């Protein structure tokens, strides 16, 4: 095919949006490219590098033209019907075919839907505008099979991007929590910590992760039986307790919640530890004041 444009579906706005265009802009440019390819007899990887760096590259004239196109799904065109009817269309006469979209009247050739996970995610358009070679049924079968690979690749890329964004969001939440937050395995090994732990312990993250939690947080060489984590490992239930910790010097509200994998196997615990030493002092002062007030004679 001489040229190709990728349209992706914008479900919120109910439009097909031109996303990428590959191909020459003029007949002269097309023949120059084909002549060079026939002389140089490049391999497929070399041709792909040409597409990235040469006249066919991203941000070419066709690419810029393509990214400005929007097709309303309510219109009765080959592009919109390919989405609605989930089938391919071939336009042989753009000036007289009712399915030719006005926005791409000079471009339209053949369109095939891109279907991933039984859902249309876009449309691939191709033509032979410069050499006028007819698009045969065999070409259409090839294109349909090729479009399945494209749809799968696009969907995989989207899922990967969503996972990356979700991981980044979770990491931001994890790091922004002011309480000590850390994850330990069933055998008490610290697997991850937030910034608050680094600041409280006074060591770098790499010096903490991989060590035993009772060693880092309690200065012991065996599990601390008063720690909720020790109980969660035993019962696989969540606990929250107020602990006096002489090693760290303070009073801490400590909660542990069990972690399970997709099969329901126990993996470890999530700890959230809050320093309530000042709050405890205030509670004690308040209790003392209330006692003193109760002893004063009534007037």
């Amino acid at each position: 095919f001489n040229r190709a444009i990728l349209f992706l579906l914008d479900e919120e706005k109910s439009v097909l949006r031109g996303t990428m265009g590959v191909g020459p802009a003029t007949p002269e440019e097309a023949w120059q490219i084909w002549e060079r390819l026939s002389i140089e007899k490049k391999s497929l990887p070399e041709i792909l590098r040409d597409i990235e760096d040469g006249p066919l590259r991203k941000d070419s004239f066709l690419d810029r033209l393509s990214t400005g196109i929007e097709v309303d799904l309510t219109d009765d065109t080959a592009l919109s019907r390919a989405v609605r009817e989930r089938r391919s269309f071939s336009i042989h006469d753009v000036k007289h075919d009712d399915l030719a979209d006005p926005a791409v009247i000079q471009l339209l050739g053949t369109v095939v839907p891109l279907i991933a996970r039984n859902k249309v995610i876009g449309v691939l358009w191709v033509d032979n505008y410069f050499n006028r070679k007819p698009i045969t049924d065999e070409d259409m079968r090839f294109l349909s099979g090729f479009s399945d690979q494209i749809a799968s690749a696009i969907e995989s890329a989207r899922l990967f991007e969503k996972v990356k964004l979700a991981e980044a969001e979770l990491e931001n939440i994890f790091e922004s929590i002011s309480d000590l937050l850390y994850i330990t395995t069933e055998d008490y090994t610290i697997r991850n910590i937030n910034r608050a732990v680094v600041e409280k312990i006074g060591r770098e993250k790499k010096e903490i992760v991989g060590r035993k939690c009772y060693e880092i947080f309690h200065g012991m060489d065996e599990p601390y039986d008063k720690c909720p984590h020790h109980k969660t490992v035993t019962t696989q239930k969540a606990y929250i307790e107020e602990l006096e910790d002489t090693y760290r010097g303070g009073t801490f509200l400590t909660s542990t919640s069990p972690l399970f994998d997709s099969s329901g196997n126990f993996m470890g615990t999530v700890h959230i530890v809050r320093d309530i030493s000042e709050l405890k002092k205030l509670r004690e002062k308040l209790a003392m004041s209330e006692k003193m007030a109760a002893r004063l004679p009534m007037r």
Side-chain angles (χ1 to χ4, degrees):
F1 305 107
N2 295 175
R3 303 180 298 181
I5 295 177
L6 174 66
F7 293 87
L8 292 179
L9 183 62
D10 185 335
E11 291 185 295
E12 290 186 4
K13 296 186 177 180
S14 294
V15 297
L16 278 171
R17 198 184 306 279
T19 304
M20 181 181 182
V22 175
T26 65
E28 293 77 19
E29 187 177 71
W31 289 111
Q32 287 173 6
I33 293 169
W34 296 334
E35 183 179 18
R36 193 181 76 247
L37 289 175
S38 65
I39 293 172
E40 296 175 354
K41 296 182 179 179
K42 294 188 175 183
S43 65
L44 180 58
E46 290 171 332
I47 292 173
L48 291 175
R49 281 195 292 272
D50 266 5
I51 292 175
E52 293 179 351
D53 304 325
L56 306 181
R57 69 190 181 282
K58 178 78 176 165
D59 197 38
S60 64
F61 172 79
L62 182 65
D63 186 62
R64 292 192 298 272
L65 177 65
S66 305
T67 54
I69 298 174
E70 281 192 5
V71 178
D72 194 319
L73 292 182
T74 61
D75 294 341
D76 192 26
T77 66
L79 288 166
S80 56
R81 285 180 64 174
V83 175
R84 295 199 303 268
E85 300 178 20
R86 302 162 64 96
R87 66 185 182 94
S88 303
F89 287 87
S90 187
I91 305 300
H92 301 289
D93 186 346
V94 295
K95 293 183 179 179
H96 300 99
D97 197 312
D98 292 338
L99 294 181
D101 193 301
V104 287
I105 192 68
Q106 297 301 320
L107 305 176
L108 206 52
T110 293
V111 294
V112 294
L114 302 176
I115 302 174
R117 297 188 178 186
N118 206 34
K119 178 181 177 183
V120 177
I121 64 170
V123 164
L124 180 65
W125 160 89
V126 298
D127 79 353
N128 284 329
Y129 182 73
F130 298 119
N131 65 7
R132 302 297 176 179
K133 180 183 176 182
I135 295 176
T136 65
D137 291 342
E138 185 179 351
D139 294 331
M140 292 285 286
R141 285 193 293 272
F142 165 78
L143 189 61
S144 295
F146 184 59
S147 68
D148 291 341
Q149 303 299 318
I150 294 173
S152 178
I154 291 172
E155 187 67 8
S156 295
R158 284 177 166 178
L159 290 173
F160 181 73
E161 188 63 26
K162 286 180 180 179
V163 170
K164 283 178 62 180
L165 290 172
E167 286 179 344
E169 185 176 0
L170 285 172
E171 185 68 20
N172 287 334
I173 293 171
F174 191 77
E175 292 294 345
S176 65
I177 294 174
S178 58
D179 294 336
L180 307 186
L181 178 59
Y182 53 101
I183 299 171
T184 57
T185 62
E186 186 176 3
D187 67 350
Y188 302 85
T189 301
I190 300 171
R191 198 173 72 190
N192 200 1
I193 61 174
N194 70 346
R195 187 179 298 110
V197 173
V198 173
E199 293 172 354
K200 180 68 176 179
I201 302 300
R203 297 188 190 180
E204 293 184 15
K205 185 174 182 177
K206 62 182 180 182
E207 297 178 281
I208 299 174
V209 173
R211 305 281 290 275
K212 300 297 184 182
C213 61
Y214 50 77
E215 176 189 354
I216 294 295
F217 294 101
H218 304 295
M220 302 175 68
D221 56 7
E222 60 182 3
Y224 183 39
D225 58 0
K226 293 183 179 180
C227 178
H229 170 69
H230 183 65
K231 298 178 181 179
T232 299
V233 168
T234 304
T235 65
Q236 298 183 10
K237 294 181 180 179
Y239 289 90
I240 179 168
E241 296 182 4
E242 186 175 309
L243 297 177
E244 291 287 343
D245 194 332
T246 55
Y247 179 73
R248 283 180 287 166
T251 305
F252 298 88
L253 187 64
T254 303
S255 70
T256 55
S257 301
L259 277 176
F260 301 96
D261 63 18
S262 57
S263 300
N265 299 312
F266 181 69
M267 296 172 58
T269 63
V270 177
H271 300 242
I272 300 179
V273 180
R274 174 171 294 180
D275 189 339
I276 59 170
S277 302
E278 293 301 320
L279 179 62
K280 183 182 179 183
K281 291 178 182 178
L282 289 173
R283 286 203 308 248
E284 291 173 348
K285 287 182 179 180
L286 178 60
M288 183 64 70
S289 298
E290 289 174 346
K291 286 182 180 180
M292 291 179 64
R295 292 174 181 172
L296 291 175
M298 298 291 293
R299 292 186 180 181

